[in-house]
Amino acid sequence: SIQVSFEKNQFFSTLRIYTTMKSASLVTFLILRESLAFFPARTSPPLPKTMACQASLSPLDQGLESWASSSGYGRIEKSIPAGSSGWASFRKVTVAIPPSDDDGKPVSFFVKSSSRSCDEMFKGEALGLQAMYACSRYMPDDQTEKGNSLRIPKVFHYGDYSSGSNGSFLIMEYLNLAGRSDDYALGQAMARMHLAPPSDKAGNPNSSFGFNVDNTIGGTPQPNPWTKPNSGTKEWVEFFKTHRIGHQLNLAGDSYCSKLWDRDIAPRLELLFEDLMGEGKEIQPSLLHGDLWSGNIGSADGMPSVFDPAVYWGHHEAEWGMSWCAGFGKSFWDGYRSVIPQSEGFLDRKPLYDAYHQLNHYNLFGGGYIGSSRGHLENLKKKLDAKETK
């Protein structure tokens, strides 16, 4: 037999265990168990509560908590999933100390997030919404009444995750969107946005055509290089010729349309803008929604609202290139024309602006849109031929 002794100086009485060689492993186990009973296991000190919470949060939640705290809004109280698309996820977020909207009501937030970078996903949308927000609040000098304006969500933040994870998010004001309502008010509100002068606050301090970043029209890339400062009609014609119709034709690869454009239309395009040349007549840059069709029109808080834009600064008539898909009736046009009267050459230029969107639809969906595009370009050729024979 083996005698095993384990002594604990001043704390323990002597422990003697006798057993046979066959029970040696059991003896060792019993000794260790008795010993450990007197010595508590070492544990790491608990993390502070805030650190423990941060460690358990997703990169998006960490970003939201950091933004809310640094903005003086306290903590995130609720973060509720609100759907998703093929490229982003959506949430409705409330904070402990919310800011107020123009009516003094507490603001909730609509958050878009993606695994892709902010430059790729949200920067263009954020800058577009900021410009629309600024221009929608413009009050012409000759209007003494408040009038109708667009309800555009205010952008509060956009950027990449700061936790080292891939991804980005956009935070904007949450709107309770409803269906399309008053078309007369919508027409007036769109006209007010179009009349807003270029400014630093709206992202266009040099009064140019284009935009701060390239964006997309549907899923099609839309280039927006700035024209020279204080641009007018000639600069607009060149911009639309190259970066709108020319760009779409390059993507479409239809030889008939390209030849018709290059040979018979583009060289004479300025003839369509003769009524908009000269002192006091020049086209001034207007902020455009850029993709205005019925699916992007609604209302919020009793005001007309437009969303999912493809924003850039251009000729206000170019806004109506999607009117064939927007359902604008007499009430809408009465509202719009009460602020911006129809120009002499509007109907001559309309096939040009329609052609851009018809070509884009062909590039997106194919099918019969190429026939519609050819029809608009042929119509333009006829109008130019008629102008040259006068």
Side-chain angles (χ1 to χ4, degrees):
S1 65
I2 297 176
Q3 178 178 328
V4 180
S5 299
F6 188 89
E7 297 182 357
K8 298 273 195 294
N9 294 336
Q10 300 177 5
F11 299 98
F12 313 116
S13 61
T14 302
L15 175 64
R16 292 183 175 83
I17 301 176
Y18 298 91
T19 185
T20 63
M21 289 292 293
K22 295 180 180 180
S23 302
S25 60
L26 176 62
V27 171
T28 302
F29 168 76
L30 291 171
I31 294 172
L32 290 173
R33 187 184 69 176
E34 294 296 322
S35 302
L36 292 173
F38 291 97
F39 296 96
R42 292 182 179 180
T43 59
S44 300
L47 288 171
K49 186 175 181 181
T50 55
M51 292 178 61
C53 291
Q54 285 289 330
S56 65
L57 294 176
S58 70
L60 172 61
D61 289 331
Q62 288 185 43
L64 290 173
E65 287 284 2
S66 176
W67 162 77
S69 176
S70 64
S71 300
Y73 301 149
R75 295 186 57 80
I76 301 295
E77 288 198 332
K78 291 182 181 180
S79 181
I80 304 171
S84 64
S85 66
W87 51 270
S89 298
F90 313 135
R91 304 188 75 83
K92 181 181 180 182
V93 171
T94 56
V95 295
I97 311 171
S100 299
D101 63 15
D102 292 341
D103 296 324
K105 298 177 181 178
V107 171
S108 297
F109 303 97
F110 184 65
V111 179
K112 291 185 174 184
S113 61
S114 171
S115 60
R116 295 154 70 180
S117 72
C118 184
D119 282 352
E120 186 180 5
M121 292 302 304
F122 297 128
K123 184 177 180 180
E125 181 178 2
L127 293 176
L129 287 171
Q130 287 177 332
M132 289 176 63
Y133 182 85
C135 291
S136 68
R137 305 164 80 82
Y138 171 69
M139 175 68 72
D141 293 336
D142 60 352
Q143 290 190 15
T144 56
E145 297 181 3
K146 184 177 180 181
N148 293 302
S149 60
L150 293 169
R151 186 71 167 91
I152 304 296
K154 182 178 180 180
V155 172
F156 284 84
H157 178 80
Y158 61 95
D160 294 313
Y161 295 149
S162 59
S163 59
S165 302
N166 293 328
S168 58
F169 60 118
L170 165 63
I171 305 173
M172 69 184 82
E173 181 183 6
Y174 183 91
L175 299 184
N176 293 307
L177 291 173
R180 187 166 167 175
S181 55
D182 186 343
D183 263 17
Y184 186 90
L186 173 64
Q188 283 196 327
M190 288 299 302
R192 287 184 61 187
M193 186 178 79
H194 288 167
L195 284 179
S199 66
D200 185 63
K201 187 175 182 180
N204 187 4
N206 296 319
S207 191
S208 302
F209 298 109
F211 197 57
N212 306 76
V213 294
D214 295 340
N215 48 28
T216 58
I217 175 76
T220 307
Q222 181 170 261
N224 296 311
W226 287 116
T227 59
K228 72 176 188 178
N230 300 311
S231 290
T233 301
K234 287 189 176 182
E235 288 76 24
W236 167 249
V237 172
E238 287 302 315
F239 177 92
F240 202 83
K241 184 191 300 184
T242 303
H243 303 297
R244 292 299 179 260
I245 299 294
H247 171 65
Q248 292 286 353
L249 286 171
N250 288 337
L251 295 175
D254 183 81
S255 59
Y256 177 81
C257 286
S258 293
K259 288 179 181 178
L260 186 61
W261 174 258
D262 293 336
R263 182 184 61 202
D264 298 315
I265 301 173
R268 304 183 291 169
L269 194 59
E270 285 189 5
L271 292 176
L272 294 176
F273 294 84
E274 288 180 318
D275 62 312
L276 298 175
M277 291 184 177
E279 187 175 353
K281 298 179 181 179
E282 293 286 318
I283 295 174
Q284 302 298 311
S286 293
L287 188 74
L288 308 183
H289 175 281
D291 191 18
L292 195 63
W293 65 289
S294 57
N296 290 343
I297 301 171
S299 62
D301 303 323
M303 299 169 62
S305 183
V306 294
F307 35 87
D308 292 338
V311 172
Y312 69 101
W313 292 85
H315 183 200
H316 64 81
E317 290 179 6
E319 189 79 274
W320 315 123
M322 278 285 285
S323 60
W324 50 273
C325 197
F328 296 135
K330 184 178 184 301
S331 180
F332 172 85
W333 288 114
D334 284 348
Y336 188 82
R337 295 302 180 203
S338 71
V339 181
I340 300 180
Q342 181 172 307
S343 297
E344 178 185 341
F346 172 76
L347 295 179
D348 287 339
R349 290 183 289 269
K350 193 172 187 311
L352 174 69
Y353 296 136
D354 286 356
Y356 174 64
H357 290 277
Q358 292 286 349
L359 284 167
N360 182 55
H361 273 61
Y362 173 70
N363 287 323
L364 289 172
F365 309 117
Y369 289 110
I370 194 62
S372 300
S373 301
R374 290 173 180 173
H376 286 305
L377 294 178
E378 289 168 348
N379 192 6
L380 284 173
K381 180 183 180 301
K382 291 177 182 178
K383 291 180 180 295
L384 290 168
D385 290 342
K387 284 182 175 293
E388 282 198 326
T389 58
K390 284 183 178 180

